[in-house]
Amino acid sequence: MGTSMKEAAEALKSVLSALKGRKAAVLGHMRPDGDCIGSQVALCRMLQAEGVDAVCVNRDRVPTNLEAYAEGVTFIRGADYREADRLAVAVDCADASRIGTELLTRFPAGILGNVDHHASNPSYGTYNAVVKDAAATCHVLAACAEILGLKVDAATAKALHLGILTDTGRFSYASVTPELLELTARLLRLGANPSEANFRVFEQETRGKLALTQRFLSSLRFHDGGRICSGEIRQADYAATGTTKEDKEGLVEFPRSVEGVEVAVLLEEGADGVRGSLRGRDSRLRLDLLAAKLNGGGHVLAAGFNMLGCSIDRDGDRIIDTVVRHVREHSAR
Ligand SMILES: [Mn+2]
């Protein structure tokens, strides 16, 4: 049973009460995306409006194209975080480990608040505002803010809109409902700006990203009669194109968009192993369960994994085999 928005609002209210007179650290996940940054900024601003001293803390830095959203909010890198008296509230983290194990050790009292929308979230907070069928963590926060009457000014509305925009594939996924569009309309009235967001987030690509995209596209391979399409990125691709890990954002949508492809796979080889992104269009294929077989997790249609100590040359075929077998098993059901 998932939690309703009303129950999530109650949990968020408890977080606010617990933070009265205390200081908060709003934590996001490693390699933050639009929903992570959007919900961190929005929650931080909501807490500040309630008189709580709040900052955002992340293991990794804010992606360049999202920096404009950090209005009035301080982001601290995990490695630079020295304080000991802030209470942790995690947003958009399917599991506490997504915060980063090193950063997590700075909060020995645990996670006070857990605001999220991932189906696999095990409710690791003292208070859990987790709505499993919500389109984005920003969706949860926007709905809770309305229920609780929290202040949403223009900058907060822009941050909330950012997370909904990016986590719904620009309002194109199955998670988009009339209610979500109505909620988004209210965010626009408060100051969210779709054309500005589209420009900031999607139309500021570097030439390096374009070159990385070319390399990724030429790596695409089809498996199992074309039902699965995989592509890869290696360290050398980043070096040759002057890009970084954050530039791989969105590339998995290319194989996903091909006719006949049911599951798209992006394999990324890093110094410590192979990370993978999985995207699908049929919820019966349960990519969250597939990712779990590969040391990962996530949503039914979008999941990821991280295989430490693996390499694409040595383990790539085995990973794809696992994907093929899983897809066969689940599509037969
Ligand atoms: Mn999200």
Side-chain angles (χ1 to χ4, degrees), residues 29 33-36 39 92-93 116-118 135-138 163 167 299:
H29 54 74
D33 59 5
D35 190 31
C36 177
S39 42
D92 204 39
C93 294
D116 189 35
H117 68 123
H118 290 89
T137 300
C138 280
D167 260 28
H299 302 285

Side-chain angles (χ1 to χ4, degrees), residues 6 12 24 36 44 62 68 82 84 92 98-99 104 113 121 144 165 222 243 249 252 262 308 321:
K6 233 181 128 163
L12 190 61
C36 177
C44 201
V62 179
R82 298 275 173 271
D92 204 39
R98 293 280 292 130
I99 292 160
L104 202 51
N121 192 301
C144 288
L165 177 74
F222 292 89
T243 52
E249 191 64 41
V252 72
E262 293 172 35
L308 289 172
D321 263 5

Side-chain angles (χ1 to χ4, degrees), residues 227-230 252 255-256 261-266 277-280:
R227 300 169 75 188
I228 293 154
C229 182
S230 69
V252 72
R256 199 179 89 99
V261 171
E262 293 172 35
V263 176
V265 185
L266 184 156
S277 302
L278 301 166
R279 294 291 183 278

